Amino acid sequence: YSLNISPIIWTNIFGWLLLWGIGIMSMVLFEQYNPRKTRYSIWVGIGMVCEWHLVWAAGSGMETLLFALILLIPFLDISHHRFTWFINGLLVGVTIWIRPDGIILLLPIFLFIWIKETIIKKKIISMISCFVGVLLLFIPYLMFNQTLSGDWWPNTFYAKQTEYAVLRESSLILRYLRQFMLPLVGVGVLLLPGFIMFCIGIIRNRKWQNIPPVVMFLCYLGAYAWRLPVTYQHGRYIIPVMPLFFIMGISGLVEYYHVGLAKMITRVLYKSWIISSAAILIGFFILGAQAYAKDVGFIQSEMVATAKWIQNNTEPEAIIAAHDIGALGYWGKREILDLAGLITPEVIPFIRDEHRIQKYLDDHQTDYLMTFPNWYPYLSSIGDEVYRTGGKISILLGGENMV
């Protein structure tokens, strides 16, 4: 940033480097699970860097792939144990700084310790060592949040759960299935049988050291199904554990192929699976590019356009209320009241109550409301419209213009 390079350039460079890193680490992890089939690993890496969820995340400018990359490291370390359990604990601490749900990584690491260490005393000491590593970074993280916002966790931790609380009214099983469906959109649907075979192989062959990645994947989905069961933006919250799912799925299918190699039908099915996987991978790469273009176009023609209008057409001392503050905070150059609660957490208790929001905005002498009218129909109906984007992409996607 200090070099004054365009953010579009340097965030994309980071994104592609992270995607490349995930491809390399996926190759190594595949070889770890399939030591006799290392010749396939290059195709695993190529497939990973072409998988459309991950490519979309690489171009998003978000922390998603950094989080995914660091999540893979403890699973890579387990066979050779290059790191101490203390270092693995530090890795958990790093993931928490990136996203608070990184704390879930502690569960499979503890499971690794329990499986790998044979003496009870050693298990306990190793777990304590790992936990100390976590605390060394977790405590400063909590203190940082407390200093910044007055809460131990980030404002997003509370705001998102409150905003989407209505989604938790459906059954937990249904919410979990919706999360599980996200990695299946694309080549993942052909890897589901392999994931099941991978799990069966753990039990049949007593490969207990392969349980932790399964636990990580299933528990991570469970955490979101329980507290934040959203699926928007192609499942961006679940994307960090998708590489684990893909690697386990490929490993299970390769193992099945090796076992049934002598059968003609197995060879035919396997080659058909390879051709189908390649076709779906390429097809969804193209569809993913189109989805990415629409996502970017939507944000540019609605959020960014409105933020720039506010910068150029409102009073410098104006107070702007908005639900989506990213572009507004970057371009608007105005005081903001965030109705999503990310930077004004005091609205979180009444985040869905428009009448209480109206009183809050009046008490703070708010001048403008920036929103999609359907998000706040009552508030939108009592104000005077001064600007509408007129963007076409949102309308084509079945939405409306920001006002």
Side-chain angles (χ1 to χ4, degrees):
Y1 188 84
S2 298
L3 294 175
N4 202 28
I5 300 172
S6 167
I8 298 297
I9 295 175
W10 62 259
T11 52
N12 272 281
I13 289 174
F14 280 136
W16 304 131
L17 285 174
L18 290 168
L19 181 61
W20 171 76
I22 286 175
I24 296 295
M25 295 180 75
S26 298
M27 291 172 58
V28 178
L29 190 54
F30 172 81
E31 291 175 359
Q32 182 174 297
Y33 292 139
N34 306 273
R36 294 177 297 173
K37 307 171 189 68
T38 56
R39 63 185 183 277
Y40 298 116
S41 64
I42 184 65
W43 299 107
V44 175
I46 292 172
M48 204 66 67
V49 299
C50 292
E51 203 286 323
W52 78 276
H53 291 98
L54 304 182
V55 177
W56 182 92
S60 71
M62 295 188 289
E63 79 295 334
T64 311
L65 287 194
L66 176 61
F67 189 58
L69 186 71
I70 297 178
L71 284 182
L72 289 175
I73 296 176
F75 299 99
L76 286 168
D77 179 54
I78 261 341
S79 270
H80 307 292
H81 202 50
R82 300 182 182 91
F83 303 147
T84 63
W85 295 118
F86 173 77
I87 297 296
N88 278 292
L90 288 177
L91 285 172
V92 177
V94 170
T95 63
I96 294 170
W97 272 89
I98 299 171
R99 272 179 31 181
D101 36 310
I103 199 168
I104 300 172
L105 183 59
L106 193 59
L107 180 61
I109 290 179
F110 274 7
L111 191 55
F112 270 135
I113 293 172
W114 193 260
I115 293 169
K116 196 170 185 68
E117 304 295 352
T118 55
I119 304 171
I120 293 293
K121 183 179 179 180
K122 184 66 173 177
K123 294 178 191 286
I124 296 172
I125 293 173
S126 299
M127 287 183 178
I128 293 173
S129 175
C130 178
F131 194 64
V132 169
V134 176
L135 290 179
L136 280 179
L137 291 177
F138 186 45
I139 292 174
Y141 171 78
L142 296 176
M143 293 172 63
F144 173 76
N145 290 322
Q146 182 64 222
T147 303
L148 192 68
S149 64
D151 286 307
W152 296 113
W153 294 96
N155 292 336
T156 51
F157 183 82
Y158 304 102
K160 292 287 186 182
Q161 292 185 61
T162 304
E163 182 178 2
Y164 296 104
V166 65
L167 298 178
R168 297 201 297 270
E169 293 177 2
S170 60
S171 73
L172 181 60
I173 294 175
L174 184 60
R175 285 162 13 217
Y176 193 92
L177 288 175
R178 286 172 181 157
Q179 298 298 313
F180 197 92
M181 290 294 291
L182 294 171
L184 305 185
V185 180
V187 74
V189 70
L190 293 182
L191 299 179
L192 179 59
F195 174 73
I196 295 171
M197 294 172 194
F198 184 85
C199 296
I200 293 173
I202 292 173
I203 300 171
R204 179 182 295 166
N205 303 316
R206 299 184 180 275
K207 294 182 178 179
W208 308 122
Q209 72 276 10
N210 291 350
I211 289 181
V214 178
V215 171
M216 178 65 192
F217 176 71
L218 296 179
C219 289
Y220 194 87
L221 298 188
Y224 273 94
W226 176 45
R227 297 304 304 171
L228 189 60
V230 295
T231 58
Y232 60 76
Q233 290 187 333
H234 321 298
R236 84 178 206 209
Y237 291 114
I238 302 302
I239 288 176
V241 292
M242 286 187 187
L244 278 176
F245 173 78
F246 298 144
I247 293 166
M248 290 186 288
I250 297 170
S251 298
L253 285 166
V254 168
E255 180 66 27
Y256 174 77
Y257 172 66
H258 177 75
V259 171
L261 187 61
K263 300 178 181 178
M264 175 64 73
I265 190 170
T266 301
R267 294 199 297 272
V268 172
L269 288 174
Y270 189 72
K271 290 179 180 178
S272 300
W273 170 77
I274 291 175
I275 295 170
S276 301
S277 296
I280 291 177
L281 198 67
I282 295 170
F284 271 88
F285 186 92
I286 296 170
L287 292 174
Q290 295 172 348
Y292 177 84
K294 290 176 182 176
D295 292 338
V296 173
F298 168 73
I299 292 170
Q300 289 291 121
S301 60
E302 299 299 334
M303 288 74 164
V304 173
T306 310
K308 289 184 175 180
W309 184 90
I310 286 172
Q311 181 187 34
N312 296 324
N313 296 275
T314 63
E315 308 80 6
E317 68 277 6
I319 300 175
I320 315 294
H323 185 280
D324 197 305
I325 66 166
L328 179 62
Y330 192 84
W331 276 286
K333 312 300 182 185
R334 300 292 183 268
E335 183 179 347
I336 300 173
L337 295 179
D338 177 20
L339 302 187
L342 306 187
I343 61 170
T344 49
E346 58 267 26
V347 307
I348 293 175
F350 50 90
I351 201 168
R352 285 296 186 183
D353 188 333
E354 288 193 68
H355 293 280
R356 289 188 64 184
I357 290 175
Q358 179 192 4
K359 183 178 184 308
Y360 174 82
L361 298 185
D362 289 343
D363 290 344
H364 287 77
Q365 299 180 323
T366 309
D367 298 294
Y368 298 94
L369 169 66
M370 168 185 164
T371 187
F372 291 108
N374 283 342
W375 285 2
Y376 298 100
Y378 171 69
L379 293 177
S380 299
S381 68
I382 61 175
D384 299 319
E385 182 177 317
V386 293
Y387 171 76
R388 182 182 293 264
T389 63
K392 297 179 180 179
I393 295 177
S394 181
I395 305 301
L396 290 174
L397 294 174
E400 57 181 342
N401 289 138
M402 184 161 276
V403 176

